[in-house]
Amino acid sequence: MSARQPLRIGILGSGKGSNCQSIIDAIAQKRLDAEIACVLSDVAEACILARARRHRIPAEFISGAPFKTKLDGEAEQAYIAALRRYGANAVALAGFMRIVKPGLLGAFPGRILNIHPALLPAFPGMESWKQALAYGVKVTGCTVHLVDAGTDTGPIVVQKAVPVLEDDTAETLHARIQVEEHKAYPEALQLLAEGRLAVAGRRVRVT
Ligand code: GRF
């Protein structure tokens, strides 16, 4: 039997990159047995790129144009080419504000994860913490899931619950969800690194 390849993560993000930081920290603290191959962003001035560069991680802006909300066509091919060039063998979407399409999914089958700020399948889509607050749920949280062709629909790997407090605002609730995200993402990636995710239909079993 051949030895398992070390996990080399390509991180895709559009924003501040706090989840990217949690992955960097988990690797440094040896809670996550992986390397970050590269950080790619569709926003040239995104903090996630500056963060990666500070840690001497290869970081590139790659335009998603002409599309605004999906990664498709030539832009998708440019992302796949960069991920391959940097030797990524898995992809972590960390605040990447585009729907990924079959081209990227097919290039890394079963090896693309996303983090979502709600307990899926509740509150898919944008600004889920605001949706949760407006709905009046008492508990929300975060979800790390494998990415499929839907929006926030893939098999669930790790979830963490966060109580909604009486005096929560959108900002305080999102801040507490992010604390849990920063634990959940490295945990899920470590399961992928150890080859312990067995997917059967919708269900992910940790072996
Ligand atoms: C997180 O809340 C994540 O759940 C969502 O986008 C946000 C990204 O935050 N998908 P950051 O850029 O990692 O700080």
Side-chain angles (χ1 to χ4, degrees):
M1 217 168 66
S2 66
R4 192 180 306 114
Q5 276 191 333
L7 190 71
R8 281 185 57 82
I9 308 163
I11 298 179
L12 273 51
S14 310
K16 70 180 199 280
S18 70
N19 279 286
C20 175
Q21 187 67 52
S22 79
I23 296 167
I24 293 170
D25 293 345
I27 292 170
Q29 294 162 10
K30 304 207 181 302
R31 285 180 286 119
L32 172 54
D33 185 16
E35 295 165 5
I36 301 178
C38 60
V39 172
L40 307 178
S41 180
D42 58 339
V43 178
E45 65 281 7
C47 291
I48 193 171
L49 290 176
R51 217 183 260 279
R53 290 182 184 124
R54 278 204 297 280
H55 290 273
R56 303 194 190 294
I57 295 165
E60 272 190 38
F61 159 68
I62 303 179
S63 170
F67 307 107
K68 290 213 180 322
T69 57
K70 64 177 180 177
L71 184 66
D72 210 348
E74 285 181 17
E76 180 188 57
Q77 291 309 312
Y79 273 80
I80 294 169
L83 288 163
R84 293 215 166 111
R85 180 159 26 88
Y86 288 117
N89 57 22
V91 177
L93 306 180
F96 189 60
M97 302 306 283
R98 288 172 187 272
I99 307 292
V100 298
K101 306 298 282 182
L104 181 62
L105 294 173
F108 296 90
R111 296 183 69 81
I112 305 181
L113 291 172
N114 181 44
I115 181 125
H116 183 77
L119 292 176
L120 290 170
F123 310 125
M126 303 284 283
E127 299 193 317
S128 310
W129 61 93
K130 288 188 184 168
Q131 296 184 49
L133 208 52
Y135 197 93
V137 294
K138 303 300 182 193
V139 179
T140 183
C142 64
T143 302
V144 181
H145 64 93
L146 288 159
V147 177
D148 65 9
T151 302
D152 304 324
T153 52
I156 290 169
V157 179
V158 171
Q159 289 189 304
K160 294 206 182 280
V162 174
V164 180
L165 306 180
E166 297 288 330
D167 57 353
D168 258 332
T169 62
E171 291 70 34
T172 58
L173 180 57
H174 188 215
R176 286 206 318 290
I177 291 171
Q178 286 227 286
V179 171
E180 296 306 311
E181 289 184 345
H182 301 158
K183 299 174 197 164
Y185 221 166
E187 277 179 27
L189 286 163
Q190 180 61 19
L191 294 174
L192 186 64
E194 292 173 7
R196 294 175 60 197
L197 298 181
V199 185
R202 285 216 50 83
R203 299 186 68 179
V204 177
R205 196 161 50 86
V206 176
T207 59

